[in-house]
Amino acid sequence: MKLPTINLHQPTTLAEALNLSNTLGPGSRFLAGGTDLLARLKRGAAKAAELISLVHIPELRQIRGLTIGGGVNLYSLLEVTDLHRQFRALSQAAAVVAGPQVRNQGTLAGNLCQDTRCLFFDCSDGLARARPLCLKRGGEECLAVPGSKKCFAAYQGDTAAALLALGAEVKIEHLGGSRRLALADLFSGYGDRPLSLAPGEVLTQIILPQPQSEIRSGYRKYRLRGGIDFPLAGVALNLVPPCSETPQGEVRVGLTGLSSRPQLLNLGGKASPDELAEAVHRAARPVDNVGGQARHRRYMACQMARDLLEELRNEAAD
Amino acid sequence: MKRLIEIKVNGERREAVVEPRTTLQEVLRDQLDLTGVKEGCQSGECGACTVLLEGRSVLSCLILALEVGERPVTTIEGLARGDALHPLQESFIEHGAVQCGYCTPGMILSAKTLLDQNPHPGSGEIQKALEGNLCRCTGYNKIIEAVLVCGEEQS
């Protein structure tokens, strides 16, 4: 399976990369670790004639305090001292992304910006063309939810759920400016165009919140095999201790694999496991499009949330 | 447009002519005759094309050859020293961890990444380190045993 013909640009500064993107226009894509984009280009599930590599830009690979460069690969992220102690949900999520080779190549920004997946879209070009094209490939209707004019492709990034629960922000840069937004605003909710990034914009930094001494967080993932697979359901929890604004504290919940965007739920700090499971059940709306049964994925999300909450609270009591 | 590049592979500088879309795997197999780099799924799911880039396992089917630059590449052909096989290669033979052999180069290179960092891993750590390499013959037990014993013998 060969890649289609492409042009590759290899800028060494971010300014150069943004200039290139502006000049080359919407037919260009940024390329980081390549584990998502190159595989999709081979399958015909993404199109790009011009690739702008971000691999040779040192500033994107820097970690300064709580600010992580978008080009930091997942392996390097897992090597960060204190990551597991202070941001356990992120360390647990990054550690179960795909397999070791992908974690050695794939970047944190790339993991966040991965495209959505669906058995009808994210398959070989030959298989996709052996039946009517799905909406995301340019067809008339969604094949996972027949008759629908909306794309239901699932967002399956692990680290997004963890970073949502932890309250991370992201920095987006474009030629001549930048904006900083809550991670939730990076995602559009549309299966066929899951990111809210405009052409020419690139995610350059992930900004973690100041860790609090009592923060307890974790991530649980349901997948068919113990390795490699994307989450059929993923749940991150963050127990935020009481403060003046939220005297009861908060339970922040990040969900992935259950909708076209990663979802953030906020519950009161005293939410019971049953209340949490009920909230997850209401929020999760999977359809049968990424393997496993949708109802089972939803059930597993509720179960994982309940178990994780009990585990984190027991740990807090120890 | 084709370009002439130099790749540092197995301790030597080698030249190749590549297009922007040429992957590292295609260069290693088709131009440099390093056919220990296997062609499997071509989409990052099987691990048969695993090589070491700066000492860490990566999927050569999902890396553009032009992106490698000065970073050293190691393939399975680069592990032996003359006629002396690498201890992992010896251990795979000794423990019958090879059947059809197609996954073996990738398995050994993933195992090397692990042993270089953690010389005496437990079987759980080995399983985790090899989860990106699929084998359709052995059932994995003999592979894990081969790495486990190799780690123990190095102590």
Side-chain angles (χ1 to χ4, degrees):
Chain A
M1 199 166 15
K2 282 184 83 73
L3 278 164
T5 302
I6 48 167
N7 280 325
L8 178 68
H9 305 268
Q10 297 176 294
T12 52
T13 65
L14 183 59
E16 201 185 334
L18 296 173
N19 257 314
L20 271 167
S21 176
N22 190 51
T23 309
L24 297 169
S28 65
R29 294 280 301 265
F30 290 109
L31 172 70
T35 55
D36 190 47
L37 181 57
L38 294 184
R40 286 177 188 277
L41 287 171
K42 285 184 173 188
R43 286 196 290 264
K47 305 277 182 220
E50 309 279 346
L51 296 184
I52 303 166
S53 169
L54 302 174
V55 170
H56 309 280
I57 303 176
E59 61 194 279
L60 293 179
R61 290 197 302 273
Q62 289 176 351
I63 300 177
R64 288 201 195 110
L66 298 169
T67 300
I68 301 165
V72 170
N73 67 38
L74 297 175
Y75 164 73
S76 305
L77 177 68
L78 287 164
E79 295 283 288
V80 172
T81 314
D82 286 344
L83 184 80
H84 190 71
R85 189 173 61 79
Q86 296 176 334
F87 302 105
R88 194 190 301 172
L90 177 59
S91 115
Q92 288 181 335
V96 293
V97 170
Q101 298 99 318
V102 170
R103 294 193 291 273
N104 288 337
Q105 288 170 245
T107 65
L108 183 57
N111 191 254
L112 289 172
C113 293
Q114 66 182 268
D115 202 352
T116 49
R117 309 179 76 82
C118 171
L119 295 171
F120 294 100
F121 166 72
D122 201 35
C123 54
S124 71
D125 213 33
L127 185 55
R129 291 181 185 286
R131 55 193 169 211
L133 292 178
C134 80
L135 264 182
K136 194 167 175 172
R137 284 210 183 225
E140 296 295 314
E141 65 174 33
C142 172
L143 301 184
V145 183
S148 172
K149 299 291 182 191
K150 178 190 165 197
C151 172
F152 283 84
Y155 180 85
Q156 293 183 284
D158 291 292
T159 58
L163 287 166
L164 277 178
L166 291 168
E169 295 183 321
V170 289
K171 184 178 181 188
I172 310 294
E173 296 197 47
H174 55 89
L175 191 63
S178 68
R179 59 193 176 114
R180 184 167 158 163
L181 59 161
L183 176 61
D185 295 332
L186 175 66
F187 303 101
S188 69
Y190 298 111
D192 49 355
R193 43 190 166 87
L195 299 178
S196 63
L197 295 179
E201 286 192 316
V202 63
L203 197 173
T204 55
Q205 290 178 354
I206 295 90
I207 304 118
L208 295 169
Q210 201 64 38
Q212 298 171 33
S213 59
E214 291 176 58
I215 275 189
R216 287 173 197 277
S217 69
Y219 178 71
R220 291 289 180 275
K221 172 174 183 170
Y222 168 56
R223 55 182 165 181
L224 295 181
R225 297 175 291 184
I228 307 177
D229 287 340
F230 287 88
L232 297 176
V235 179
L237 292 189
N238 178 16
L239 309 192
V240 184
C243 65
S244 53
E245 286 167 21
T246 49
Q248 293 198 331
E250 273 183 288
V251 177
R252 288 173 63 94
V253 188
L255 301 177
T256 190
L258 298 160
S259 147
S260 292
R261 67 184 302 162
Q263 297 160 278
L264 173 65
L265 314 177
N266 278 303
L267 278 76
K270 295 198 184 303
S272 70
D274 283 347
E275 286 167 338
L276 172 63
E278 176 59 30
V280 171
H281 186 82
R282 277 199 306 273
R285 288 278 187 273
V287 299
D288 284 320
N289 62 351
V290 290
Q293 287 186 338
R295 56 185 290 199
H296 188 62
R297 285 159 55 205
R298 194 182 195 190
Y299 168 81
M300 287 302 290
C302 298
Q303 231 19 62
M304 290 190 296
R306 189 195 302 267
D307 290 351
L308 187 53
L309 180 63
E310 286 178 350
E311 192 179 308
L312 292 174
R313 284 204 175 133
N314 288 341
E315 196 181 319
D318 285 344
Chain B
M1 194 181 6
K2 291 190 172 176
R3 278 158 65 175
L4 177 68
I5 60 166
E6 263 195 4
I7 298 185
K8 278 193 222 169
V9 56
N10 298 334
E12 292 177 22
R13 282 188 170 275
R14 305 279 302 269
E15 286 188 344
V17 177
V18 301
E19 293 179 74
R21 66 172 175 165
T22 308
T23 63
L24 176 59
Q25 182 212 38
E26 289 163 346
V27 168
L28 295 171
R29 276 186 68 83
D30 303 341
Q31 292 196 44
L32 305 182
D33 291 332
L34 296 167
T35 53
V37 183
K38 297 303 178 198
E39 179 180 329
C41 69
Q42 290 283 309
S43 55
E45 293 173 16
C46 74
C49 69
T50 300
V51 299
L52 304 184
L53 186 62
E54 294 183 299
R56 297 205 61 81
S57 60
V58 293
L59 299 164
S60 61
C61 75
L62 293 183
I63 292 180
L64 297 177
L66 285 173
E67 292 281 69
V68 173
E70 285 295 304
R71 295 179 286 175
V73 176
T74 307
T75 70
I76 192 72
E77 289 89 345
L79 289 199
R81 291 285 166 264
D83 289 338
L85 292 178
H86 187 277
L88 268 168
Q89 292 172 306
E90 293 281 10
S91 190
F92 267 58
I93 294 169
E94 198 174 319
H95 291 89
V98 181
Q99 283 190 26
C100 87
Y102 207 80
C103 72
T104 310
M107 284 284 182
I108 289 180
L109 291 168
S110 286
K112 184 173 186 307
T113 305
L114 171 69
L115 294 185
D116 285 349
Q117 199 173 26
N118 175 6
H120 313 298
S123 57
E125 290 167 309
I126 296 168
Q127 200 171 331
K128 186 93 187 123
L130 299 183
E131 69 189 10
N133 296 82
L134 301 187
C135 172
R136 300 289 82 156
C137 308
T138 66
Y140 300 102
N141 285 344
K142 289 175 184 296
I143 294 172
I144 291 168
E145 194 182 322
V147 181
L148 194 61
V149 172
C150 185
E152 284 167 358
E153 282 176 354
Q154 284 184 357
S155 57

